[in-house]
Amino acid sequence: MSRHTAGAEVALARVMAHCGGDPAEAMGYLSSAIAAAPHHPDAYAVIAELRQSASAATTAFVEGARSPGGLAAQAFLMFLDDDMDDAALTIGTITGFAPTVAWATAPWFGDPRFLTSVSAEALAEAAMRTMDYGHPLDTDDVRERFRPWFHAIETVSTRHPRPESLARMAILLRACGLIPASLALCDKADAVERTMLTEVVRGGTWRRIGDLEQAAAAFERATELDPTNWSLYLDLADIRADQGDFAAAVELTDRGLAHGPTEITLRAARAAYRTRLAGSAADLADLVEMAPQLPNAGYRNLLIDQACDGPNLPADLVVAARNVRES
């Protein structure tokens, strides 16, 4: 829908609100106008008027809102009611569902009243919700649409630098390809307090750009901060495997199993890395048995590929492993 059409929707809404006597229908037109041009102020002005003149009707509309435009209107009403955290969460949800629309260009999202009131925890959760549907965010178009998010993150992280919230915000910056900004936000979190999550986010960022040694160093620091977390040893083992150091990968999975002895993914990784290192047929057989239980098919296939490159493995067992991979 064009901006011109959005203007027509607002005009219809004004008629319905003031002449037609149907505020609920007016809200429908306004929701469509916001979906067409989230940055344009007119629809929000009419919604604010309706909030004053027909509060019950606007409340009933938003309670039944299901479309992204309807939810965006709902977020604005939350803003009007000073419910800044829920407003942010709602925008995060619809952004994740439909990131091709610049929902955060809504005037209220950049309003000082919002930016000085929304909590760091809510903005961090909202930022995470923008990634819920797995849409690619590392493009120029997305970065342009997400400018208000970046501004909000900068403002709120400075006003209220809670380390875990900053680390979660840094994940969105990384997803959008803003690597230096993501790492800088991790550094800002460290200046308040070092946390395991910050090191994990930093390590994931270094890994994304191919600096495996920096990534490994970050995960090593994470294990120092949370030495009983088995998943950290698995992450670090995977990095060492990427570097071709399967002896270190085996040792790290052994360390992880001391804290998560029944974790199927960790056990499968250990079997794969032992097979790759020493050509252990018994470990490959264990991997074949465990593979169907692994929740992540991509990771399962990666482990099978690495294991099947082990030395002197029985051909029939390799075939069995490949068959599991293709299933």
Side-chain angles (χ1 to χ4, degrees):
M1 189 184 296
S2 68
R3 176 174 171 177
H4 173 75
T5 307
E9 297 279 358
V10 174
L12 283 169
R14 287 188 185 277
V15 171
M16 297 307 301
H18 302 298
C19 302
D22 193 339
E25 188 171 353
M27 286 294 297
Y29 285 118
L30 293 166
S31 299
S32 296
I34 290 174
H39 64 285
H40 202 274
D42 288 357
Y44 303 99
V46 179
I47 290 174
E49 293 170 11
L50 285 171
R51 187 55 147 178
Q52 294 296 319
S53 64
S55 177
T58 56
T59 298
F61 174 84
V62 299
E63 286 178 350
R66 294 294 181 269
S67 70
L71 292 172
Q74 184 183 88
F76 177 59
L77 288 168
M78 292 171 179
F79 166 79
L80 292 178
D81 292 340
D82 291 319
D83 187 358
M84 305 306 183
D85 285 3
D86 282 339
L89 294 173
T90 301
I91 287 293
T93 296
I94 59 177
T95 298
F97 178 75
T100 56
V101 177
W103 301 105
T105 59
W108 66 264
F109 194 84
D111 190 291
R113 190 168 133 235
F114 171 72
L115 294 174
T116 57
S117 301
V118 66
S119 70
E121 295 87 349
L123 188 64
E125 173 59 25
M128 295 296 291
R129 290 186 183 189
T130 67
M131 298 174 277
D132 276 352
Y133 291 85
H135 296 291
L137 303 182
D138 187 2
T139 70
D140 289 339
D141 287 345
V142 170
R143 281 187 284 272
E144 182 61 31
R145 288 193 292 273
F146 275 46
R147 280 179 177 271
W149 284 100
F150 306 149
H151 175 65
I153 286 172
E154 180 180 3
T155 302
V156 174
S157 67
T158 299
R159 170 175 62 81
H160 197 186
R162 296 184 64 85
E164 296 225 347
S165 296
L166 268 59
R168 298 177 81 202
M169 295 176 198
I171 296 173
L172 175 59
L173 298 182
R174 178 179 72 201
C176 292
L178 302 178
I179 302 303
S182 179
L183 292 171
L185 202 55
C186 289
D187 291 343
K188 183 183 285 190
D190 279 347
V192 179
E193 180 186 4
R194 291 182 61 221
T195 68
M196 177 271 289
L197 179 60
T198 301
E199 292 294 2
V200 168
V201 174
R202 180 184 284 115
T205 302
W206 285 119
R207 191 177 185 186
R208 172 169 173 161
I209 62 175
D211 192 330
L212 297 182
E213 203 50 54
Q214 290 266 36
F219 277 101
E220 287 280 11
R221 292 190 295 269
T223 63
E224 293 168 3
L225 291 165
D226 190 359
T228 64
N229 188 327
W230 65 266
S231 68
L232 297 176
Y233 297 100
L234 178 58
D235 288 328
L236 190 50
D238 290 341
I239 292 171
R240 293 307 185 196
D242 288 344
Q243 293 176 306
D245 189 348
F246 290 96
V250 170
E251 189 269 335
L252 285 161
T253 54
D254 284 339
R255 289 170 63 188
L257 284 167
H259 306 291
T262 63
E263 294 296 336
I264 188 71
T265 304
L266 185 58
R267 290 169 53 215
R270 178 179 181 272
Y273 296 147
R274 282 170 57 91
T275 303
R276 180 65 173 79
L277 177 66
S280 169
D283 282 301
L284 182 55
D286 287 344
L287 177 61
V288 169
E289 182 179 347
M290 288 184 282
Q293 304 173 56
L294 297 181
N296 186 315
Y299 186 64
R300 175 201 69 193
N301 293 343
L302 176 63
L303 291 179
I304 289 173
D305 287 343
Q306 289 172 325
C308 288
D309 284 340
N312 303 317
L313 291 168
D316 59 337
L317 196 52
V318 171
V319 169
R322 298 286 189 198
N323 287 339
V324 172
R325 189 194 189 287
E326 299 303 323
S327 62

